[in-house]
Amino acid sequence: MSVKYDYQRLERLGMPEAILCDGKHAEHLEQLLEELLARPEHPALFTRLHQQVFDTLAPHVATPLDYCRVSNTAILHGVLPQRTGSVAVVTAGTSDLRVAMEASRTLEFTGIPHTLIADVGVAGVWRLLERIDEIRSHDVVIVVAGMDAALASVLGGLVDKCIIGVPTSIGYGVAAGGNTALNAMLASCGQGVTVTNIDNGFGAACAAIRILNAINSQVTT
Amino acid sequence: MSVKYDYQRLERLGMPEAILCDGKHAEHLEQLLEELLARPEHPALFTRLHQQVFDTLAPHVATPLDYCRVSNTAILHGVLPQRTGSVAVVTAGTSDLRVAMEASRTLEFTGIPHTLIADVGVAGVWRLLERIDEIRSHDVVIVVAGMDAALASVLGGLVDKCIIGVPTSIGYGVAAGGNTALNAMLASCGQGVTVTNIDNGFGAACAAIRILNAINSQVTT
Amino acid sequence: MSVKYDYQRLERLGMPEAILCDGKHAEHLEQLLEELLARPEHPALFTRLHQQVFDTLAPHVATPLDYCRVSNTAILHGVLPQRTGSVAVVTAGTSDLRVAMEASRTLEFTGIPHTLIADVGVAGVWRLLERIDEIRSHDVVIVVAGMDAALASVLGGLVDKCIIGVPTSIGYGVAAGGNTALNAMLASCGQGVTVTNIDNGFGAACAAIRILNAINSQVTT
Amino acid sequence: MSVKYDYQRLERLGMPEAILCDGKHAEHLEQLLEELLARPEHPALFTRLHQQVFDTLAPHVATPLDYCRVSNTAILHGVLPQRTGSVAVVTAGTSDLRVAMEASRTLEFTGIPHTLIADVGVAGVWRLLERIDEIRSHDVVIVVAGMDAALASVLGGLVDKCIIGVPTSIGYGVAAGGNTALNAMLASCGQGVTVTNIDNGFGAACAAIRILNAINSQVTT
Amino acid sequence: MSVKYDYQRLERLGMPEAILCDGKHAEHLEQLLEELLARPEHPALFTRLHQQVFDTLAPHVATPLDYCRVSNTAILHGVLPQRTGSVAVVTAGTSDLRVAMEASRTLEFTGIPHTLIADVGVAGVWRLLERIDEIRSHDVVIVVAGMDAALASVLGGLVDKCIIGVPTSIGYGVAAGGNTALNAMLASCGQGVTVTNIDNGFGAACAAIRILNAINSQVTT
Amino acid sequence: MSVKYDYQRLERLGMPEAILCDGKHAEHLEQLLEELLARPEHPALFTRLHQQVFDTLAPHVATPLDYCRVSNTAILHGVLPQRTGSVAVVTAGTSDLRVAMEASRTLEFTGIPHTLIADVGVAGVWRLLERIDEIRSHDVVIVVAGMDAALASVLGGLVDKCIIGVPTSIGYGVAAGGNTALNAMLASCGQGVTVTNIDNGFGAACAAIRILNAINSQVTT
Amino acid sequence: MSVKYDYQRLERLGMPEAILCDGKHAEHLEQLLEELLARPEHPALFTRLHQQVFDTLAPHVATPLDYCRVSNTAILHGVLPQRTGSVAVVTAGTSDLRVAMEASRTLEFTGIPHTLIADVGVAGVWRLLERIDEIRSHDVVIVVAGMDAALASVLGGLVDKCIIGVPTSIGYGVAAGGNTALNAMLASCGQGVTVTNIDNGFGAACAAIRILNAINSQVTT
Amino acid sequence: MSVKYDYQRLERLGMPEAILCDGKHAEHLEQLLEELLARPEHPALFTRLHQQVFDTLAPHVATPLDYCRVSNTAILHGVLPQRTGSVAVVTAGTSDLRVAMEASRTLEFTGIPHTLIADVGVAGVWRLLERIDEIRSHDVVIVVAGMDAALASVLGGLVDKCIIGVPTSIGYGVAAGGNTALNAMLASCGQGVTVTNIDNGFGAACAAIRILNAINSQVTT
């Protein structure tokens, strides 16, 4: 009973299937890796591949992987050709980097230019204002924030482009698990902000790809 | 203590402030209406203006309003100039129309061409497949669905454009209030689907406007 | 079985017992009103006295009340002597006024100078920055906000005085009931912000009174 | 204080008691194993026997067990005689296999013919449509899905036989723990779908046995 | 924008689409009624048609309806031909009748023989034991219970046929809304009990229809 | 900063303070143990002293303890003098023994005669009926059950003495953590059943002690 | 389909079945009233009979009822013979009276001497201490409290008799619905306090009856 | 991508940024430590630095830290100059010390005189009354309590100064995680008590600093 990889998704949706490693048995993962190793024409992205699982993979399947221990992602067979469009990935705090890097790596893998702007949370709103023109210059802004996630609301009032909120599960007490950040983003007074699942940096990057798909189909027609 | 209307928001964000009528005292609402009546150069949109509140407004402020009793929206001083781009508003069932119409009216108000495609829920998946090419032809797809909200997941696998999910509060038992639909959309296996607050058709339309802003700024540069 | 009013609380805590009218039978309320009417030396404050209950009170007990229909409060026998110190009551939006006015009326009743600064929510952060020096000039800042309650976080980083957050139950979907605002304020990245129960403008004013008690006992010693 | 095994349940309900190993002390488990080893006429099924517990069992009780490390089940003294009827066990993704295999092993143990059809989730709805006739050919369909569990709704509209939904606890954020999948299945627009507890593959197989009991009692009368 | 009735569902799934009236606008409902009145060959079932909505329908569409004010259901154009098989609808208390009658009316509409056995809750377990043989004589048992829903567990151990639990929203405090009954049924120690959404008597009847479909397809082959 | 033991509680409440070890630092625990070792006239009970903590205690404080690894309790300096009255501790399943033993050990420590009756859950209601007269012969019945906790409801209808429900955290999915069992017991149709916190066998025993206190004060007056 | 009254419950459990009127159809209620009117030897208690339902009952069934509009209870055919034992019903605030009176009326109906001690909440702990000896003099103490329900904890440390906590649903924000009071009572640091469902004054009185049953069976043997 | 420390926060808010170590990668933490080691003029506070993380730090960055293993805090480069004002940190039980010490260490670091008064929970209310005058003598009272958190309510009625509640996550069952304590404090009948996030001793100390800021600015003007 092996993992069935969807080789047509790239063509169909403009983004490849990523392998979510969480919850998969190590043996199923190794089988899939062996299958993909034999198909170098199919670059592949692995998400939520935790260090302790990565460390148990057999060397012949682990070695070819470009692994990032902050975002727990791995890339196989290089990245896709570069596309037009640009994305800003903005974080409120240092602890949100883990998730922001998942978005960043997904964009890197799919060939999309992007900038990571970290630690501009609203407890120091002037830090954000100093960089607001830079943020505004992108087609899509991904906002990664936990706790009260207030950054999404403030940005929603300052930027007229697409804003995708990614709540993170950092923090403790009522913040633990990320539901407060999720609900605060959904209830955001910054109109037109949309939201992904908690910690889903990959999903935010995919949403950005969908937007760039729309831009590119318009531009080219 | 009157409502402070943000006259600059249209210029700043490409979308005007809408007046959320829920939770506002009738007298505050009437004050604002009088203020706006005197400024015909500022078209205005009112959301969640429930029939029973609308019926109590003084005739001289109510009569000029273009009121829609399905979506509980009102438009004052006509709509904004037409823009380029197109949006599909897709609903799973008849009961989702209330919310879909809020999105539709917001798009109408902001001059954005759009199509309403109703009653294509996945309990009859062939009804959806019959119309999938029509849906794919738009820049942005707004999916309005309650209960299990499975329509968002199925569309996410069939369409490569921007998909914005709007969970609705229809149904009873575990569906009541819309949290099940919200969480199902957030957990959607259709990668890159983003989500608004429950019943927030207005917010989904604003997110679509942000995307069209991005498309247009690219097209014109 | 009548309501037992705590006549000593003013002396003991520096703030009188307020009569929370919610959940009390109208006949119990009338009995207490008759008792207090006979004691003009005891000014009294009534909270959450909803219009429909107020309208059913017998005229001889209702007429002497100074009733406010926005905050649902009533004051009997005038206000307490003025004290030193000052409080700013700041709201994110117009819909938060109901709760802000409860705080304001409690401060008015207890003789505390205060300023109401409404509609400075972070979706237009420059509106807030324009008034930040005015806000900073008070001893205590009460922040009243619903939905994402991001205003508390932004103020927490800009003001070095006591900040008391009052989450409100405005909004719909995930905002409904005020839990999102409550949790966002508790998880606030603005360090040292403390919080009251949802919609508890009265409680926030009492907390401010406790702080002014501390200031005054220091100043006078 | 030993575990009391219900030797009559097979006769009474047409399905034997299974030993749920979760939450039982290892010593109680070993006592029961020794008791059952001495009764080879009583085939027995153990569920949720996690690998780390299995590995600590004394060899003389562990060795006779037919253990499956994907489903964490063990079978002792072989399986029951084959019955008529057939069941399809359908999964949305690879990560649902753990639970689907628990259902499959329970069916195997009770002598019921069944087919496992994996990885037909609705993010690629054509994969499902390709196999729909095969699925329809069974008396009972067990649908195992996590996250948004949309597969249950789509199948509910395509198949007229008994559909039993088993939500799984895979995923993260709002999917974590399986409540979203559970509620989505309960709110399913596919009418007449019933649901078991989260991850309860064993319970779904038992429900299928109850249905086959009903079929067989009708057929034979 | 009218309601789209699925005329093929009866043929496809062996059960007709029922019109869930909750959440539909009265005008949409009247439109659909007029459409169906013109098609007497299509018997139709309406669920959750609350008395106050029924009372506002125009007489020419209301009069032909066979309306039941306990279950809030209406039947148009008579019932479907009788089928083989039998169902017991069992309730714990009198307050569960509203939901049990929805199941009962759905079975009546679809031509399925059934028996209603009320008020056999486990606070008086001997009342249940007196009727257990009668309950066992049916192909399917629908258990309707609120509060602690313990009846489902006790029946699960006494009956070897299909048991479908319907939690009800009766009661107050922790019972209010039906989640306790729902979770207790899902966690039932009576193995193989499956569950529908809260108050979903219609869904339980549909699940019974699916089971009888399976029985009948076996019997006739 | 040491733990302050309440040496007067036995006299005041008829039950000694028990030391809840969960959440205490090992060093605080050792300090208290040394203090109590020096006071042999004060028998002491320790609850929730998990094996891994017990194993790290210094031998000179651990050795004098009478430790039970099923209930995670320890007794120091023997038990209190025997009292009159009797308590039945009844469990639904084997996995509830851990909690039932905590109640049993507390009763043993306080000198109260009691009987442990295990594994009489309602999935086999005749097992319960066989022992009902034995259960009825006690002054107080403690019911320990997880999952759906239906045993409390059935007993509530069969026994006229005090029934104290202890929900347990066994099980998975909706049962995990014990909230379903707690709420089912609180919503029990067996009138007059009262409930303790989840897994609180100690608290149930204390409640039984309070009842026996009342009985004894009546009997002796 | 009428309500089935359990005429044997008094003899079996020492307390009669009470008719919970919530959720019952008015016609079912009237049928039962007529049946009971014809059996004057069976005193009966009705709970949660809300004023608006009582006002719609036919005069010939309503007039014989002794109705209490604070507790929403009604008594038919007088009260039961007086028993020995005594109960204190203690409330934190005036708003808890509604529930306390339900307990009080149930005790009155069953012939049990009791005292109502109101408004001794811990915000003024000296008021409680003044009456603590009076409270201690009863066999059972029922504590009725909402909001933070701290009264149960304080009493738990001061009284050695049976303490039954009844959380109430008074208050707003996090207090609304009574879950905070319920959980605070369950987590009470006053060991051996047991708890009923929210607002269940009737259930607390029944628990007290069970305790007095135990006392009386001891005293008489 | 390093942590960006806010060197200006002390001047701006009268309290320095503290480094929340939870959720930060060890390498990011070490980078920041090295940066701060080079700036001895900037005393720094680290919170939630768990023992197992502290133990893995390189000796040259760990050795200069003044680490406290009860509160998991570390101080670098000594404490700030002493300020005027005083704070009482009061705990209900021994298990709350971990959080109380975080508050205490933050106050120590910022040069604020304070007293720790432990183990005065309301299960023994006389212990609290014995020390109430001592508690009243401070400007601010921080109340640290878990489970039912009743101490905050009792203190709210006895003390007229600022009371800041810190709910803790100690306990099990409904107490686990601290939400019950949080909600009980928010619903407190002691008017004017404000609350921080669960376990947020640091935040409570910051709130106290804000109050002392207000006092000092008044005193000096």
PDB file of all heavy atoms in Angstrom, chain C residues 97-120:
ATOM      1  N   LEU C  97     -19.240  51.595  21.318  1.00  0.00           N
ATOM      2  CA  LEU C  97     -19.642  52.723  22.167  1.00  0.00           C
ATOM      3  C   LEU C  97     -20.519  52.302  23.340  1.00  0.00           C
ATOM      4  O   LEU C  97     -20.409  52.849  24.439  1.00  0.00           O
ATOM      5  CB  LEU C  97     -20.397  53.774  21.338  1.00  0.00           C
ATOM      6  CG  LEU C  97     -19.499  54.777  20.649  1.00  0.00           C
ATOM      7  CD1 LEU C  97     -20.327  55.699  19.778  1.00  0.00           C
ATOM      8  CD2 LEU C  97     -18.716  55.580  21.687  1.00  0.00           C
ATOM      9  N   ARG C  98     -21.405  51.360  23.094  1.00  0.00           N
ATOM     10  CA  ARG C  98     -22.292  50.846  24.138  1.00  0.00           C
ATOM     11  C   ARG C  98     -21.499  50.459  25.396  1.00  0.00           C
ATOM     12  O   ARG C  98     -21.878  50.825  26.519  1.00  0.00           O
ATOM     13  CB  ARG C  98     -23.002  49.612  23.562  1.00  0.00           C
ATOM     14  CG  ARG C  98     -23.987  48.914  24.383  1.00  0.00           C
ATOM     15  CD  ARG C  98     -24.658  47.806  23.542  1.00  0.00           C
ATOM     16  NE  ARG C  98     -23.694  46.951  22.861  1.00  0.00           N
ATOM     17  CZ  ARG C  98     -23.111  45.880  23.410  1.00  0.00           C
ATOM     18  NH1 ARG C  98     -23.411  45.517  24.647  1.00  0.00           N
ATOM     19  NH2 ARG C  98     -22.241  45.160  22.731  1.00  0.00           N
ATOM     20  N   VAL C  99     -20.398  49.758  25.203  1.00  0.00           N
ATOM     21  CA  VAL C  99     -19.585  49.311  26.326  1.00  0.00           C
ATOM     22  C   VAL C  99     -18.726  50.454  26.855  1.00  0.00           C
ATOM     23  O   VAL C  99     -18.563  50.631  28.066  1.00  0.00           O
ATOM     24  CB  VAL C  99     -18.720  48.107  25.905  1.00  0.00           C
ATOM     25  CG1 VAL C  99     -17.779  47.700  27.022  1.00  0.00           C
ATOM     26  CG2 VAL C  99     -19.614  46.944  25.498  1.00  0.00           C
ATOM     27  N   ALA C 100     -18.170  51.236  25.951  1.00  0.00           N
ATOM     28  CA  ALA C 100     -17.338  52.367  26.372  1.00  0.00           C
ATOM     29  C   ALA C 100     -18.152  53.335  27.223  1.00  0.00           C
ATOM     30  O   ALA C 100     -17.659  53.895  28.209  1.00  0.00           O
ATOM     31  CB  ALA C 100     -16.766  53.077  25.142  1.00  0.00           C
ATOM     32  N   MET C 101     -19.407  53.532  26.854  1.00  0.00           N
ATOM     33  CA  MET C 101     -20.259  54.444  27.621  1.00  0.00           C
ATOM     34  C   MET C 101     -20.558  53.882  29.017  1.00  0.00           C
ATOM     35  O   MET C 101     -20.772  54.636  29.952  1.00  0.00           O
ATOM     36  CB  MET C 101     -21.573  54.690  26.866  1.00  0.00           C
ATOM     37  CG  MET C 101     -21.449  55.620  25.678  1.00  0.00           C
ATOM     38  SD  MET C 101     -20.906  57.286  26.138  1.00  0.00           S
ATOM     39  CE  MET C 101     -22.353  57.857  27.041  1.00  0.00           C
ATOM     40  N   GLU C 102     -20.572  52.550  29.160  1.00  0.00           N
ATOM     41  CA  GLU C 102     -20.762  51.984  30.503  1.00  0.00           C
ATOM     42  C   GLU C 102     -19.571  52.344  31.389  1.00  0.00           C
ATOM     43  O   GLU C 102     -19.730  52.703  32.560  1.00  0.00           O
ATOM     44  CB  GLU C 102     -20.939  50.459  30.434  1.00  0.00           C
ATOM     45  CG  GLU C 102     -21.366  49.862  31.766  1.00  0.00           C
ATOM     46  CD  GLU C 102     -21.395  48.335  31.766  1.00  0.00           C
ATOM     47  OE1 GLU C 102     -20.318  47.719  31.915  1.00  0.00           O
ATOM     48  OE2 GLU C 102     -22.475  47.758  31.604  1.00  0.00           O
ATOM     49  N   ALA C 103     -18.360  52.251  30.806  1.00  0.00           N
ATOM     50  CA  ALA C 103     -17.169  52.664  31.555  1.00  0.00           C
ATOM     51  C   ALA C 103     -17.239  54.148  31.873  1.00  0.00           C
ATOM     52  O   ALA C 103     -16.978  54.590  33.005  1.00  0.00           O
ATOM     53  CB  ALA C 103     -15.914  52.340  30.753  1.00  0.00           C
ATOM     54  N   SER C 104     -17.601  54.918  30.877  1.00  0.00           N
ATOM     55  CA  SER C 104     -17.635  56.371  31.019  1.00  0.00           C
ATOM     56  C   SER C 104     -18.644  56.805  32.090  1.00  0.00           C
ATOM     57  O   SER C 104     -18.361  57.669  32.928  1.00  0.00           O
ATOM     58  CB  SER C 104     -18.000  56.957  29.646  1.00  0.00           C
ATOM     59  OG  SER C 104     -18.124  58.337  29.709  1.00  0.00           O
ATOM     60  N   ARG C 105     -19.815  56.189  32.069  1.00  0.00           N
ATOM     61  CA  ARG C 105     -20.834  56.532  33.060  1.00  0.00           C
ATOM     62  C   ARG C 105     -20.396  56.116  34.469  1.00  0.00           C
ATOM     63  O   ARG C 105     -20.685  56.807  35.447  1.00  0.00           O
ATOM     64  CB  ARG C 105     -22.150  55.835  32.719  1.00  0.00           C
ATOM     65  CG  ARG C 105     -22.838  56.409  31.497  1.00  0.00           C
ATOM     66  CD  ARG C 105     -23.806  57.508  31.840  1.00  0.00           C
ATOM     67  NE  ARG C 105     -24.970  56.972  32.570  1.00  0.00           N
ATOM     68  CZ  ARG C 105     -25.959  57.719  33.023  1.00  0.00           C
ATOM     69  NH1 ARG C 105     -25.941  59.042  32.870  1.00  0.00           N
ATOM     70  NH2 ARG C 105     -26.963  57.175  33.665  1.00  0.00           N
ATOM     71  N   THR C 106     -19.692  55.024  34.594  1.00  0.00           N
ATOM     72  CA  THR C 106     -19.204  54.603  35.908  1.00  0.00           C
ATOM     73  C   THR C 106     -18.171  55.599  36.434  1.00  0.00           C
ATOM     74  O   THR C 106     -18.175  55.951  37.623  1.00  0.00           O
ATOM     75  CB  THR C 106     -18.585  53.186  35.817  1.00  0.00           C
ATOM     76  OG1 THR C 106     -19.559  52.300  35.280  1.00  0.00           O
ATOM     77  CG2 THR C 106     -18.149  52.686  37.180  1.00  0.00           C
ATOM     78  N   LEU C 107     -17.304  56.061  35.532  1.00  0.00           N
ATOM     79  CA  LEU C 107     -16.309  57.068  35.935  1.00  0.00           C
ATOM     80  C   LEU C 107     -17.000  58.377  36.300  1.00  0.00           C
ATOM     81  O   LEU C 107     -16.641  59.022  37.291  1.00  0.00           O
ATOM     82  CB  LEU C 107     -15.299  57.277  34.800  1.00  0.00           C
ATOM     83  CG  LEU C 107     -14.424  56.056  34.499  1.00  0.00           C
ATOM     84  CD1 LEU C 107     -13.666  56.254  33.188  1.00  0.00           C
ATOM     85  CD2 LEU C 107     -13.452  55.774  35.639  1.00  0.00           C
ATOM     86  N   GLU C 108     -17.974  58.778  35.506  1.00  0.00           N
ATOM     87  CA  GLU C 108     -18.733  59.988  35.800  1.00  0.00           C
ATOM     88  C   GLU C 108     -19.379  59.883  37.187  1.00  0.00           C
ATOM     89  O   GLU C 108     -19.281  60.795  38.011  1.00  0.00           O
ATOM     90  CB  GLU C 108     -19.835  60.182  34.739  1.00  0.00           C
ATOM     91  CG  GLU C 108     -20.737  61.378  34.985  1.00  0.00           C
ATOM     92  CD  GLU C 108     -22.008  61.313  34.123  1.00  0.00           C
ATOM     93  OE1 GLU C 108     -22.014  60.509  33.151  1.00  0.00           O
ATOM     94  OE2 GLU C 108     -22.976  62.025  34.433  1.00  0.00           O
ATOM     95  N   PHE C 109     -19.982  58.728  37.444  1.00  0.00           N
ATOM     96  CA  PHE C 109     -20.673  58.509  38.717  1.00  0.00           C
ATOM     97  C   PHE C 109     -19.716  58.591  39.897  1.00  0.00           C
ATOM     98  O   PHE C 109     -20.048  59.101  40.960  1.00  0.00           O
ATOM     99  CB  PHE C 109     -21.358  57.139  38.685  1.00  0.00           C
ATOM    100  CG  PHE C 109     -21.949  56.720  39.997  1.00  0.00           C
ATOM    101  CD1 PHE C 109     -23.064  57.380  40.522  1.00  0.00           C
ATOM    102  CD2 PHE C 109     -21.402  55.678  40.738  1.00  0.00           C
ATOM    103  CE1 PHE C 109     -23.613  56.992  41.749  1.00  0.00           C
ATOM    104  CE2 PHE C 109     -21.940  55.297  41.954  1.00  0.00           C
ATOM    105  CZ  PHE C 109     -23.044  55.955  42.456  1.00  0.00           C
ATOM    106  N   THR C 110     -18.488  58.096  39.701  1.00  0.00           N
ATOM    107  CA  THR C 110     -17.539  58.082  40.817  1.00  0.00           C
ATOM    108  C   THR C 110     -16.659  59.330  40.844  1.00  0.00           C
ATOM    109  O   THR C 110     -15.713  59.401  41.634  1.00  0.00           O
ATOM    110  CB  THR C 110     -16.645  56.819  40.765  1.00  0.00           C
ATOM    111  OG1 THR C 110     -16.263  56.595  39.409  1.00  0.00           O
ATOM    112  CG2 THR C 110     -17.391  55.620  41.270  1.00  0.00           C
ATOM    113  N   GLY C 111     -16.959  60.305  39.990  1.00  0.00           N
ATOM    114  CA  GLY C 111     -16.288  61.598  40.075  1.00  0.00           C
ATOM    115  C   GLY C 111     -14.894  61.623  39.498  1.00  0.00           C
ATOM    116  O   GLY C 111     -14.039  62.393  39.935  1.00  0.00           O
ATOM    117  N   ILE C 112     -14.670  60.791  38.500  1.00  0.00           N
ATOM    118  CA  ILE C 112     -13.317  60.706  37.939  1.00  0.00           C
ATOM    119  C   ILE C 112     -13.273  61.359  36.558  1.00  0.00           C
ATOM    120  O   ILE C 112     -14.018  60.969  35.662  1.00  0.00           O
ATOM    121  CB  ILE C 112     -12.873  59.235  37.858  1.00  0.00           C
ATOM    122  CG1 ILE C 112     -12.799  58.697  39.280  1.00  0.00           C
ATOM    123  CG2 ILE C 112     -11.540  59.110  37.140  1.00  0.00           C
ATOM    124  CD1 ILE C 112     -12.372  57.282  39.394  1.00  0.00           C
ATOM    125  N   PRO C 113     -12.395  62.348  36.369  1.00  0.00           N
ATOM    126  CA  PRO C 113     -12.277  63.008  35.064  1.00  0.00           C
ATOM    127  C   PRO C 113     -11.847  61.999  33.986  1.00  0.00           C
ATOM    128  O   PRO C 113     -10.956  61.181  34.229  1.00  0.00           O
ATOM    129  CB  PRO C 113     -11.176  64.052  35.289  1.00  0.00           C
ATOM    130  CG  PRO C 113     -11.101  64.238  36.764  1.00  0.00           C
ATOM    131  CD  PRO C 113     -11.491  62.921  37.374  1.00  0.00           C
ATOM    132  N   HIS C 114     -12.461  62.099  32.821  1.00  0.00           N
ATOM    133  CA  HIS C 114     -12.123  61.139  31.776  1.00  0.00           C
ATOM    134  C   HIS C 114     -12.479  61.705  30.399  1.00  0.00           C
ATOM    135  O   HIS C 114     -13.269  62.635  30.282  1.00  0.00           O
ATOM    136  CB  HIS C 114     -12.861  59.820  32.007  1.00  0.00           C
ATOM    137  CG  HIS C 114     -14.337  59.975  32.007  1.00  0.00           C
ATOM    138  ND1 HIS C 114     -15.035  60.456  33.098  1.00  0.00           N
ATOM    139  CD2 HIS C 114     -15.271  59.740  31.056  1.00  0.00           C
ATOM    140  CE1 HIS C 114     -16.314  60.508  32.820  1.00  0.00           C
ATOM    141  NE2 HIS C 114     -16.489  60.081  31.582  1.00  0.00           N
ATOM    142  N   THR C 115     -11.865  61.105  29.375  1.00  0.00           N
ATOM    143  CA  THR C 115     -12.085  61.526  27.998  1.00  0.00           C
ATOM    144  C   THR C 115     -12.461  60.302  27.175  1.00  0.00           C
ATOM    145  O   THR C 115     -11.837  59.251  27.314  1.00  0.00           O
ATOM    146  CB  THR C 115     -10.778  62.107  27.407  1.00  0.00           C
ATOM    147  OG1 THR C 115     -10.226  63.013  28.355  1.00  0.00           O
ATOM    148  CG2 THR C 115     -11.053  62.812  26.092  1.00  0.00           C
ATOM    149  N   LEU C 116     -13.453  60.460  26.301  1.00  0.00           N
ATOM    150  CA  LEU C 116     -13.848  59.369  25.410  1.00  0.00           C
ATOM    151  C   LEU C 116     -13.279  59.641  24.015  1.00  0.00           C
ATOM    152  O   LEU C 116     -13.563  60.676  23.416  1.00  0.00           O
ATOM    153  CB  LEU C 116     -15.380  59.271  25.374  1.00  0.00           C
ATOM    154  CG  LEU C 116     -15.996  58.151  24.544  1.00  0.00           C
ATOM    155  CD1 LEU C 116     -15.482  56.783  24.973  1.00  0.00           C
ATOM    156  CD2 LEU C 116     -17.518  58.176  24.682  1.00  0.00           C
ATOM    157  N   ILE C 117     -12.465  58.741  23.512  1.00  0.00           N
ATOM    158  CA  ILE C 117     -11.824  58.891  22.204  1.00  0.00           C
ATOM    159  C   ILE C 117     -12.269  57.714  21.354  1.00  0.00           C
ATOM    160  O   ILE C 117     -11.795  56.597  21.529  1.00  0.00           O
ATOM    161  CB  ILE C 117     -10.285  58.919  22.362  1.00  0.00           C
ATOM    162  CG1 ILE C 117      -9.884  60.106  23.238  1.00  0.00           C
ATOM    163  CG2 ILE C 117      -9.608  58.961  20.997  1.00  0.00           C
ATOM    164  CD1 ILE C 117      -8.432  60.117  23.663  1.00  0.00           C
ATOM    165  N   ALA C 118     -13.175  57.976  20.412  1.00  0.00           N
ATOM    166  CA  ALA C 118     -13.831  56.875  19.705  1.00  0.00           C
ATOM    167  C   ALA C 118     -13.292  56.693  18.294  1.00  0.00           C
ATOM    168  O   ALA C 118     -12.732  57.616  17.687  1.00  0.00           O
ATOM    169  CB  ALA C 118     -15.328  57.114  19.651  1.00  0.00           C
ATOM    170  N   ASP C 119     -13.439  55.462  17.788  1.00  0.00           N
ATOM    171  CA  ASP C 119     -13.242  55.180  16.363  1.00  0.00           C
ATOM    172  C   ASP C 119     -11.801  55.365  15.906  1.00  0.00           C
ATOM    173  O   ASP C 119     -11.546  55.915  14.832  1.00  0.00           O
ATOM    174  CB  ASP C 119     -14.165  56.104  15.558  1.00  0.00           C
ATOM    175  CG  ASP C 119     -15.180  55.292  14.728  1.00  0.00           C
ATOM    176  OD1 ASP C 119     -14.949  54.101  14.521  1.00  0.00           O
ATOM    177  OD2 ASP C 119     -16.190  55.876  14.324  1.00  0.00           O
ATOM    178  N   VAL C 120     -10.855  54.870  16.692  1.00  0.00           N
ATOM    179  CA  VAL C 120      -9.443  54.958  16.298  1.00  0.00           C
ATOM    180  C   VAL C 120      -8.856  53.563  16.070  1.00  0.00           C
ATOM    181  O   VAL C 120      -7.687  53.303  16.362  1.00  0.00           O
ATOM    182  CB  VAL C 120      -8.606  55.737  17.349  1.00  0.00           C
ATOM    183  CG1 VAL C 120      -8.989  57.202  17.329  1.00  0.00           C
ATOM    184  CG2 VAL C 120      -8.793  55.154  18.748  1.00  0.00           C
TER     185      VAL C 120
END
